[in-house]
């Protein structure tokens, strides 16, 4: 074994028996590199990454390649999900040098962590326009030993270029007032009116884009924004990117029709998709979207939930040595499981063919296998029969070798899931979602919040909690806690959100220019502290923090939180204005900051039937971005502490509702009709 056996990362443990003498990221490896005067070969990936598996098999499991690597380098493996700080830094370098990024990420650098070469996937042998390891490693060794000056010149140029990336997020101009309209227009230009989604293949779900469109349509009564969001969500639900047999969504579609997926299942995708489908159900009332929420949660229950309620990170694309084996079907197998009559019905509806409908991604040739997908929703009269078919196929599929489960539990991704479950619980009326969110936060509280200073840790696995939390951990968990408060009205969640926000402020805020750094002031600094604003596979820490600030301000009455939100958007205004479609969650926050939201306080001795009706009316009729506080005899003392302005609103036997908007509050009202009238003004 190499030096990875003591690690907790499933990705690192996958490589523990490689002939490559891997080290985990740490001082031991860099000290060895300095002592032996060797460059460092850094390989970054994650446990469920298909091309990481391919490169590992071709190169890292190969004795010839390993011998060259061990002779030339000190070799380091890093899990990008455990250490997104390392990944963010060197992915920026890779994109800067090559114009693209992805995993596996390959970086070659000095013992001082200064890179001079970057690439992604590297095969053993060179082919086409891609150099192979057998050619690359000797070339690097020759340059390091015989042309060091040239290597160091490259290092300096790269450092200079990277330094310029650290200057992003230093603007002092406000966002354009019409930035949300610009974002809509940019999405319209890229919108695929036939298949939904934006751009061509490969297509990623990007559910935060859809949530932005849904809220835009609500605020501006905009049918085009609504149609883009709903059409995309329907097409994804019908397509092969959705797992019709077991629930949940795959990572992306390799084609432009959502039919042929890349089969990984990531926790953050399930969280964001759950939120988007719940919002679409709230907007349209279509049962298809509520059912989708239930199927996502059922998948989480079956495959992604720890016994204590925390959520695992991902499921692999590969099983039995190939991508997608667990998910694809021969037509004959389906007929064997379902019988001739039901099998024929299922195959017709789900586009199952004798010669298969699944194409090999590289060759575009049919494989003889099938991905179940629909071209239109299942007719209502057939739903019970098809439901029985899906149950039988699901039971049969369990006999197969399941893809690897990456069972580490990450604070940031769990924060996303907590928020999504709480939000979806309110919108769909399924309170069991909220109970799951509370259980997940209980897990985080027990295992990933330090007992002494209440700071967060990033990763838990097999009883081990570790890695200093990053901005995503704080921002995403704060969002989850805000949603939990709005779902339960338990003031402890709001208190915890404010406490974590103060830590984020103290440890991550850029006092000179504004915005939150990705790493804390006490964490390891690699080339420089970056700030994230781009909303990629999931929203950035600063985008989420901007929205959190707005909501915390309205819930607590502390306008400092909202001022921070404006500062965040201002310091990144140049980047956002240059390409609005890449920053839709940040623009979503800006849109809510400038919309006519309501601040509502409901006062009631207890949560009796009348009180519950008033809560429901407020949830149904308040404008997007509104906040609701519930003050009862039980919560009064804690709520007065965390939201001091509520001291002015007394608790009485008869429930009262105070509605405020635009810095003005109306007289308290008592009936649903009066509440609706106040919210409509």
């Amino acid at each position: 074994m190499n030096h990875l056996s003591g690690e907790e990362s499933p990705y690192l443990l996958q490589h523990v028996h490689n002939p490559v003498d891997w080290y985990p990221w740490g001082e031991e490896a860099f000290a060895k590199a300095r002592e032996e005067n060797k460059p460092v070969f850094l390989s970054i990936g994650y446990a469920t990454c298909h091309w990481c598996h391919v490169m590992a098999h071709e190169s890292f499991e190969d004795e010839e390649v390993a011998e060259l690597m061990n002779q030339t380098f000190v070799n380091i493996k890093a899990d990008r999900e455990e250490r997104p700080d390392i990944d963010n830094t060197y992915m920026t370098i890779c994109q800067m040098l090559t114009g693209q990024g992805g995993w596996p990420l390959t970086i070659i650098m000095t013992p001082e962590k200064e890179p001079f070469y970057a690439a992604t996937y590297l095969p053993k042998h060179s082919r086409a326009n891609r150099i192979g390891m057998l050619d690359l490693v000797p070339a690097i060794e020759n340059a390091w030993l015989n042309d060091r000056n040239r290597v160091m010149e490259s290092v300096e140029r790269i450092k200079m270029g990277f330094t310029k990336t650290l200057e992003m997020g230093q603007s002092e101009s406000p966002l354009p007032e019409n930035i949300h309209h610009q974002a809509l227009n940019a999405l319209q230009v890229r919108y695929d009116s036939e298949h939904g989604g934006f751009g061509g293949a490969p297509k990623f779900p990007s559910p935060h884009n859809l949530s932005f469109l849904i809220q835009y349509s609500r605020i501006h009564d905009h049918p085009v924004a609504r149609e883009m969001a709903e059409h995309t969500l329907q097409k994804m639900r019908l397509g092969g990117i959705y797992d019709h047999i077991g629930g949940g969504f795959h990572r992306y579609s390799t084609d432009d029709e959502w039919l042929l997926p890349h089969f990984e299942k990531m926790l953050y995708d399930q969280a964001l998709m759950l939120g988007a489908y719940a919002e679409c159900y709230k907007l349209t009332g279509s049962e298809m979207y509520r059912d989708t929420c239930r199927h996502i949660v059922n998948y989480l229950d079956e495959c992604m939930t720890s016994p204590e309620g925390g959520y695992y990170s991902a499921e692999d694309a590969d099983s039995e040595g190939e991508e997608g084996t667990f998910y694809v079907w021969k037509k004959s197998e389906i007929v064997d499981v379902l019988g001739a009559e039901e099998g024929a019905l299922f195959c017709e509806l789900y586009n199952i063919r004798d010669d298969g409908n699944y194409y090999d991604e590289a060759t575009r040739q049919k494989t003889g296998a099938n991905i179940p997908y629909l071209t239109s929703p299942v007719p209502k009269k057939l739903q019970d029969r098809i439901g029985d078919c899906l149950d039988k196929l699901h039971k049969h599929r369990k006999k197969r070798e399941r893809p690897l489960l990456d069972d580490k539990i990450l604070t940031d991704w769990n924060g996303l899931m907590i928020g999504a479950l709480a939000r979806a619980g309110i919108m769909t009326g399924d309170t069991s979602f909220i109970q799951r969110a509370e259980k997940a936060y209980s897990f985080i509280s027990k295992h990933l919040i330090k007992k002494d200073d209440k700071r967060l840790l990033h990763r838990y696995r097999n009883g081990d909690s570790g890695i200093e939390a990053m901005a995503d951990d704080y921002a995403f968990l704060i969002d989850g806690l805000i949603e939990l408060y709005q779902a339960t009205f338990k003031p402890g969640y709001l208190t915890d959100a404010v406490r974590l926000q103060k830590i984020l402020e103290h440890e991550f805020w850029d006092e000179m220019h504004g915005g939150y750094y990705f790493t804390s002031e006490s964490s390891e600094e690699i080339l420089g502290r970056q700030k994230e604003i781009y909303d990629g596979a999931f929203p950035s820490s600063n985008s989420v923090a901007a929205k959190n600030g707005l909501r915390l301000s309205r819930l607590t009455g502390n306008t400092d939180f909202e001022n921070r939100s404006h500062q965040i958007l201002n310091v990144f205004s140049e980047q956002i204005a240059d390409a609005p479609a890449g920053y839709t969650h940040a623009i979503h926050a800006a849109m809510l900051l400038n919309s006519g939201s309501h601040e509502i306080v409901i006062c009631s001795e207890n949560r009796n039937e009348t009180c519950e009706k008033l809560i429901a009316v407020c949830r149904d009729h308040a404008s997007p971005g509104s906040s609701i506080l519930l003050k009862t005899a039980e919560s009064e003392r804690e709520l007065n502490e965390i939201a001091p302005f509520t001291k002015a609103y007394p608790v009485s036997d008869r429930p009262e509702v105070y509605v405020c908007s635009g810095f003005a509050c109306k007289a308290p009202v008592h009936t649903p009709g009066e509440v609706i009238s106040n919210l409509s003004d």
Side-chain angles (χ1 to χ4, degrees):
M1 290 191 294
N2 47 44
H3 297 79
L4 301 180
S5 60
E7 297 300 303
E8 286 296 338
S9 161
Y11 175 64
L12 269 57
L13 293 174
Q14 286 174 353
H15 295 270
V16 74
H17 293 292
N18 290 170
V20 177
D21 189 22
W22 293 115
Y23 283 79
W25 179 277
E27 178 54 30
E28 181 182 4
F30 289 105
K32 179 180 174 66
R34 290 191 293 271
E35 180 182 346
E36 297 181 6
N37 189 28
K38 286 183 175 181
V40 171
F41 184 100
L42 171 64
S43 177
I44 302 176
Y46 56 103
T48 60
C49 166
H50 171 69
W51 285 103
C52 299
H53 301 330
V54 173
M55 185 171 174
H57 180 66
E58 290 185 13
S59 297
F60 302 146
E61 295 172 9
D62 184 88
E63 295 285 351
E64 185 179 7
V65 172
E67 183 177 357
L68 284 174
M69 292 178 66
N70 294 338
Q71 172 186 305
T72 305
F73 305 119
V74 171
N75 301 288
I76 294 178
K77 264 286 176 192
D79 182 338
R80 68 118 175 172
E81 295 167 357
E82 273 201 339
R83 293 299 303 268
D85 52 337
I86 299 171
D87 181 62
N88 285 356
T89 295
Y90 292 111
M91 186 61 74
T92 300
I93 298 290
C94 184
Q95 291 168 333
M96 191 174 72
L97 294 181
T98 69
Q100 60 185 6
W103 299 275
L105 174 61
T106 303
I107 297 290
I108 301 176
M109 57 186 167
T110 71
E112 284 70 43
K113 307 174 187 176
E114 299 169 330
F116 57 89
Y117 181 86
T120 52
Y121 159 72
L122 295 169
K124 177 180 178 179
H125 298 284
S126 298
R127 58 176 184 258
N129 296 318
R130 191 175 293 274
I131 193 170
M133 292 291 286
L134 293 182
D135 292 323
L136 174 67
V137 178
I140 295 292
E141 182 180 35
N142 180 62
W144 182 258
L145 296 177
N146 301 315
D147 201 358
R148 185 75 62 87
N149 287 339
R150 188 176 175 187
V151 169
M152 297 313 295
E153 287 173 4
S154 295
V155 165
E156 291 305 315
R157 285 196 300 271
I158 292 168
K159 285 169 60 178
M160 187 177 300
F162 181 78
T163 299
K164 291 180 180 179
T165 71
L166 301 179
E167 296 171 0
M168 293 191 300
Q170 298 183 8
S171 173
E172 297 179 357
S173 303
L175 277 172
E177 290 184 6
N178 67 341
I179 190 65
H180 51 298
H181 302 317
Q182 292 181 32
L184 175 69
N185 293 337
L187 290 173
Q188 278 186 275
V189 169
R190 298 177 53 231
Y191 176 61
D192 181 344
S193 59
E194 182 177 0
H195 304 299
F198 306 93
K203 270 186 178 172
F204 288 81
S206 301
H208 47 280
N209 288 344
L210 305 176
S211 294
F212 163 75
L213 289 171
I214 289 170
Q215 295 305 327
Y216 186 102
S217 73
R218 289 186 63 199
I219 292 171
H220 299 287
D221 192 21
H222 199 284
V224 174
R226 170 175 170 155
E227 189 276 336
M228 286 195 290
E230 185 177 1
H231 182 59
T232 300
L233 286 164
Q234 184 181 81
K235 286 294 186 180
M236 287 193 293
R237 174 60 176 82
L238 298 177
I241 191 173
Y242 175 73
D243 180 3
H244 293 266
I245 307 299
F249 283 85
H250 299 295
R251 185 160 172 250
Y252 64 86
S253 177
T254 62
D255 66 333
D256 63 357
E257 300 180 44
W258 306 111
L259 303 184
L260 307 177
H262 184 49
F263 289 94
E264 293 164 83
K265 286 183 177 179
M266 314 301 293
L267 180 64
Y268 60 78
D269 279 328
Q270 313 313 316
L272 295 170
M273 295 295 268
L274 175 61
Y277 278 99
E279 289 168 359
C280 198
Y281 169 71
K282 181 75 172 178
L283 182 70
T284 67
S286 170
E287 285 297 321
M288 177 183 184
Y289 303 123
R290 180 157 65 174
D291 286 345
T292 305
C293 293
R294 289 172 176 154
H295 291 315
I296 292 172
V297 173
N298 289 342
Y299 162 69
L300 294 169
D301 288 346
E302 180 184 358
C303 304
M304 299 282 279
T305 309
S306 74
E308 290 183 84
Y311 288 98
Y312 300 132
S313 295
E315 280 198 302
D316 206 338
D318 297 11
S319 58
E320 301 179 46
E322 292 185 26
E323 181 181 4
T325 302
F326 182 76
Y327 297 101
V328 299
W329 300 81
K330 297 285 188 182
K331 184 175 181 179
S332 58
E333 184 183 11
I334 290 175
V335 174
D336 286 345
V337 173
L338 300 181
E341 184 177 349
E342 298 298 89
L345 172 66
F346 184 88
C347 290
E348 180 182 357
L349 284 174
Y350 282 86
N351 296 282
I352 307 299
R353 305 185 180 104
D354 291 321
D355 60 347
N357 64 26
Y358 178 56
Y359 292 82
D360 180 86
E361 184 180 350
T363 66
R364 307 307 294 175
Q365 298 295 313
K366 283 188 176 181
T367 64
N370 289 275
I371 296 287
Y373 70 88
L374 295 163
T375 51
S376 61
V378 175
K380 192 170 185 179
K381 64 182 180 180
L382 295 176
Q383 287 178 359
D384 288 343
R385 287 177 66 188
I386 291 300
D388 289 340
C389 291
L390 292 169
D391 288 343
K392 290 177 182 177
L393 292 172
H394 186 207
K395 184 177 181 180
H396 178 78
R397 197 177 73 174
K398 288 181 179 180
K399 300 174 184 177
R400 299 177 181 176
E401 179 183 322
R402 191 165 191 99
L404 170 89
L405 173 69
D406 185 335
D407 61 353
K408 66 178 180 292
I409 295 173
L410 302 175
T411 299
D412 50 352
W413 296 3
N414 272 259
L416 288 175
M417 183 55 73
I418 289 166
L421 284 166
R423 202 158 45 242
I426 294 173
M427 292 180 177
T428 65
D430 192 330
T431 56
S432 72
F433 292 3
I434 300 168
Q435 293 166 5
R436 289 173 175 87
E438 291 195 276
K439 189 173 181 181
Y441 181 60
S442 177
F443 178 93
I444 297 294
S445 297
K446 180 178 179 181
H447 296 291
L448 287 160
I449 297 179
K450 295 181 185 179
K451 299 299 183 284
D452 51 356
D453 58 14
K454 301 299 182 181
R455 283 167 168 74
L456 295 177
L457 293 169
H458 175 62
R459 184 267 299 135
Y460 172 91
R461 184 173 184 267
N462 286 343
D464 180 75
S465 303
I467 305 176
E468 186 175 343
M470 285 146 271
D472 280 2
D473 297 299
Y474 284 94
F476 296 177
L477 186 56
I478 291 166
D479 170 75
L481 286 165
I482 293 169
E483 295 293 354
L484 263 183
Y485 174 73
Q486 293 288 259
T488 65
F489 298 114
K490 296 177 182 178
Y493 294 133
L494 185 56
T495 300
D496 287 357
V498 170
R499 175 177 53 76
L500 291 175
Q501 181 63 36
K502 289 178 179 178
I503 296 173
L504 179 66
E505 183 77 14
H506 182 262
E507 296 286 333
F508 294 82
W509 184 254
D510 178 357
E511 293 291 350
M512 181 174 293
H513 300 289
Y516 294 103
Y517 289 115
F518 190 75
T519 53
S520 73
E521 61 181 9
S522 60
S523 65
E524 176 184 9
E525 187 169 319
I526 308 166
L527 302 183
R529 293 174 76 189
Q530 292 180 294
K531 288 184 281 188
E532 292 290 322
I533 188 62
Y534 177 68
D535 297 323
F538 46 80
S540 70
S541 48
N542 274 288
S543 295
V544 174
K547 191 175 176 185
N548 290 345
L550 161 68
R551 303 185 74 195
L552 286 175
S553 177
R554 305 293 171 84
L555 286 165
T556 66
N558 185 344
T559 57
D560 289 344
F561 294 131
E562 188 165 332
N563 291 337
R564 279 295 194 234
S565 297
H566 286 289
Q567 287 178 282
I568 292 168
L569 297 172
N570 288 350
V571 300
F572 294 107
S573 60
E574 292 180 9
Q575 291 96 292
I576 296 172
D578 282 346
Y583 306 94
T584 53
H585 198 80
I587 294 171
H588 187 175
M591 184 169 63
L592 293 178
L593 277 164
N594 296 313
S595 66
S597 61
H598 299 99
E599 295 83 54
I600 303 164
V601 181
I602 303 171
C603 296
S604 178
E605 184 70 25
N606 53 60
R607 292 189 64 167
N608 55 32
E609 184 178 349
T610 301
C611 180
E612 294 296 338
K613 288 180 179 178
L614 292 172
I615 292 170
V617 166
C618 291
R619 285 172 170 167
D620 285 342
H621 293 274
S623 58
S626 296
S627 60
I628 304 174
L629 288 157
L630 175 63
K631 187 174 183 179
T632 65
E634 182 180 359
S635 67
E636 182 173 16
R637 184 169 65 85
E638 189 170 359
L639 196 62
N640 284 346
E641 290 179 5
I642 198 65
F645 75 95
T646 62
K647 293 177 182 177
Y649 304 125
V651 171
S652 62
D653 293 338
R654 186 186 185 190
E656 296 182 318
V657 180
Y658 298 81
V659 176
C660 303
S661 182
F663 305 102
C665 297
K666 300 179 185 295
V669 293
H670 308 88
T671 68
E674 292 172 320
V675 172
I676 293 171
S677 177
N678 277 359
L679 291 172
S680 301
D681 292 344

